[in-house]
Amino acid sequence: MNFQAPKGTFDWMPPRSETVLAVRDALAGPARRAGYGYVETPAFEDTGLFSRGVGESTDIVTKEMYTFTSRGGQSLTLRPEGTASVVRAVIEHGLYGGPLPIKLWYSGSFFRYERAQAGRYRHFSQVGAEALGAEDPALDAELIVLAMDGYASLGLRHVRLLLNSLGCRECRPAYRAALQDFLRALDLDEATRQRIEINPLRVLDDKRPEVRAQLAGAPLVTDHLCGACKAYHEEVRGLLAAADVPYEDDPRLVRGLDYYTRTTFEFVHDGLGAQSAVGGGGRYDGLSEMIGGPQLPGVGWALGVDRTVLALEAEGLLAEPAGRVDVFAVPLGEEARRRIFPLVAALRRAGLAVDMAFGGRGVKGAMKAADRSGARYAVILGDRDIEAGAVQVKDLTTADQTAVPLTEVVDVLKGRLS
Ligand code: AMP
């Protein structure tokens, strides 16, 4: 029986997997430097958290959740997104009683039973950030700037920011009604007709050309914002401009989760084909109450790690794999292996990156492994060296080789590599 990674999942393997680590660090870096603290929540939660939090009518909840019954009879779901879990944790730990806003970031695996295709997987990785407890346009703008800075720090030049406002409890109902009136008059299939009644904004997100063609004259949410939402949106736009972050107004940007209010945004990359979103987020002022918490406004984003790696690839920015190690140790014979082993440990404890030849290969094989490791130096130990209490230090870039007393080799290599 040959096992393979399940459909819609894959393995990141070295050396490409190094880029995954670098992307996670780069995307989280700006938020960490802006005072966001790390939060780690479980990979599964009570199913109700997502059905209530993400929204009963969303694709995620109706079609894409990995839900199972635990041995104790509880319905659990592998997390399809991070915000509901973070808000749950903030409520559970009573953080809303402390200093506000609460700023948190996370990184981890998420699970959605999607139609697998390039850039769309059933298991994927996100870095996210959330700020709760303040309704301040500067917080929305801060998060957007932090995400854009994260992409920029990776060298990405073709990430575009799409920006919209979805209004609030005051103005959204009137817009919703106007949109429903418009949509009911269109020629649409039964499933879409049902969606008009449950969640009409999502119809705007329909990607099918025959639907898109009919949506050209649809009323736009930005024409229906109340005074407060309009002012809030203007403030966010002004702050982004002041921080030199270009954006494109996209009055049709709705996003697939129900909890968004006011600011919504998406980061897209044009080199990725159909799955162009490398990240997205927005404000979710009602989410805490929807899952049984206090009134607690919030704003946040989630950035796709896998798709950001694809974007780097599309821009030709995947770094040449750096050498795995600085030093590669080559013992010639069993006695040499016994003696070189503690030297390798000592070099590593001194802070150097060191590997050695394993498996008793001959000199040729071992030297090939040394070359392949990308190490700058090989440390070679043969019988004659053992007698002399020395090792041969070979510079693999110049092939220069010198004998160095065993007692000095740690200091010598540290010096040469510093
Ligand atoms: P969302 O929570 O859907 O807004 O997702 C935020 C980001 O996570 C998206 O912009 C993508 O970059 C990434 N993402 C979401 N779903 C998937 C998926 N199925 N496969 C790969 N990346 C995904």
Side-chain angles (χ1 to χ4, degrees):
M1 175 94 190
N2 280 330
F3 290 108
Q4 292 179 335
K7 187 173 175 196
T9 73
F10 60 92
D11 308 301
W12 285 110
M13 303 297 286
R16 269 176 106 222
S17 51
E18 293 293 327
T19 310
V20 178
L21 291 178
V23 163
R24 276 197 196 111
D25 277 354
L27 295 181
R32 300 181 71 181
R33 290 190 292 277
Y36 288 70
Y38 179 63
V39 60
E40 195 166 307
T41 61
F44 54 83
E45 298 269 3
D46 198 307
T47 300
L49 175 67
F50 300 118
S51 48
R52 285 224 239 150
V54 177
E56 298 279 7
S57 71
T58 59
D59 282 353
I60 291 182
V61 170
T62 54
K63 299 187 215 152
E64 298 175 359
M65 295 210 298
Y66 283 91
T67 297
F68 60 98
T69 306
S70 75
R71 287 175 191 273
Q74 188 185 7
S75 177
L76 298 172
T77 294
L78 297 183
R79 58 183 178 184
E81 60 99 51
T83 305
S85 302
V86 171
V87 176
R88 193 266 309 138
V90 164
I91 298 168
E92 185 171 336
H93 295 272
L95 297 193
Y96 52 85
L100 301 176
I102 305 148
K103 292 172 154 193
L104 298 167
W105 75 276
Y106 60 84
S107 168
S109 288
F110 296 85
F111 311 85
R112 295 182 194 171
Y113 193 80
E114 305 243 32
R115 208 156 46 79
Q117 52 186 294
R120 186 173 282 288
Y121 314 114
R122 292 178 174 175
H123 166 260
F124 55 98
S125 172
Q126 291 182 334
V127 168
E130 317 283 351
L132 293 112
E135 214 176 330
D136 181 340
L139 211 46
D140 306 40
E142 167 175 288
L143 276 157
I144 293 172
V145 172
L146 294 174
M148 288 299 265
D149 286 353
Y151 292 124
S153 75
L154 286 163
L156 286 169
R157 289 186 300 127
H158 300 298
V159 175
R160 292 185 293 127
L161 162 61
L162 309 180
L163 186 66
N164 194 19
S165 171
L166 292 182
C168 65
R169 253 181 272 208
E170 301 300 318
C171 52
R172 185 121 57 117
Y175 171 64
R176 192 173 185 271
L179 182 62
Q180 281 175 322
D181 283 346
F182 172 87
L183 294 173
R184 285 185 192 122
L186 302 182
D187 176 22
L188 297 166
D189 60 276
E190 191 45 40
T192 313
R193 294 202 152 278
Q194 279 173 16
R195 189 173 282 173
I196 295 173
E197 304 312 318
I198 304 164
N199 195 341
L201 266 72
R202 302 277 318 295
V203 181
L204 288 181
D205 208 18
D206 203 306
K207 300 285 188 292
R208 292 170 297 176
E210 66 276 20
V211 178
R212 293 218 76 89
Q214 299 187 68
L215 293 174
L220 299 177
V221 63
T222 34
D223 294 332
H224 289 75
L225 295 179
C226 63
C229 282
K230 210 175 271 174
Y232 194 98
H233 195 48
E234 279 315 308
E235 192 63 28
V236 173
R237 296 166 87 233
L239 290 168
L240 291 176
D244 284 329
V245 169
Y247 59 85
E248 296 166 35
D249 290 310
D250 182 354
R252 285 162 189 277
L253 180 72
V254 295
R255 302 183 42 72
L257 296 79
D258 273 357
Y259 51 57
Y260 288 106
T261 52
R262 289 199 168 162
T263 313
T264 47
F265 49 87
E266 206 152 79
F267 306 100
V268 295
H269 191 280
D270 295 323
L272 298 186
Q275 305 307 320
S276 62
V278 288
R283 181 158 277 286
Y284 46 85
D285 293 340
L287 175 57
S288 171
E289 287 155 296
M290 271 155 74
I291 60 171
Q295 210 268 322
L296 191 67
V299 55
W301 44 241
L303 313 181
V305 172
D306 314 86
R307 281 194 208 161
T308 302
V309 176
L310 298 181
L312 285 167
E313 214 158 32
E315 289 199 30
L317 292 170
L318 277 199
E320 279 296 303
R324 284 185 291 114
V325 291
D326 305 319
V327 177
F328 197 92
V330 176
L332 306 178
E334 266 182 49
E335 182 55 24
R337 188 192 60 206
R338 257 173 238 129
R339 294 189 184 227
I340 216 163
F341 188 85
L343 174 63
V344 166
L347 286 165
R348 288 176 181 154
R349 288 175 189 143
L352 303 183
V354 189
D355 196 2
M356 66 179 273
F358 290 100
R361 281 177 289 188
V363 159
K364 246 173 99 182
M367 289 312 291
K368 215 166 160 185
D371 279 332
R372 232 180 291 139
S373 74
R376 174 80 195 272
Y377 294 101
V379 170
I380 306 159
L381 187 67
D383 290 341
R384 243 180 304 156
D385 303 308
I386 295 174
E387 266 167 45
V391 292
Q392 302 293 323
V393 172
K394 182 174 181 182
D395 184 327
L396 291 169
T397 54
T398 62
D400 281 346
Q401 187 168 318
T402 46
V404 175
L406 255 175
T407 48
E408 290 169 27
V409 68
V410 172
D411 287 337
V412 167
L413 282 171
K414 260 183 86 172
R416 288 210 205 167
L417 284 162
S418 61

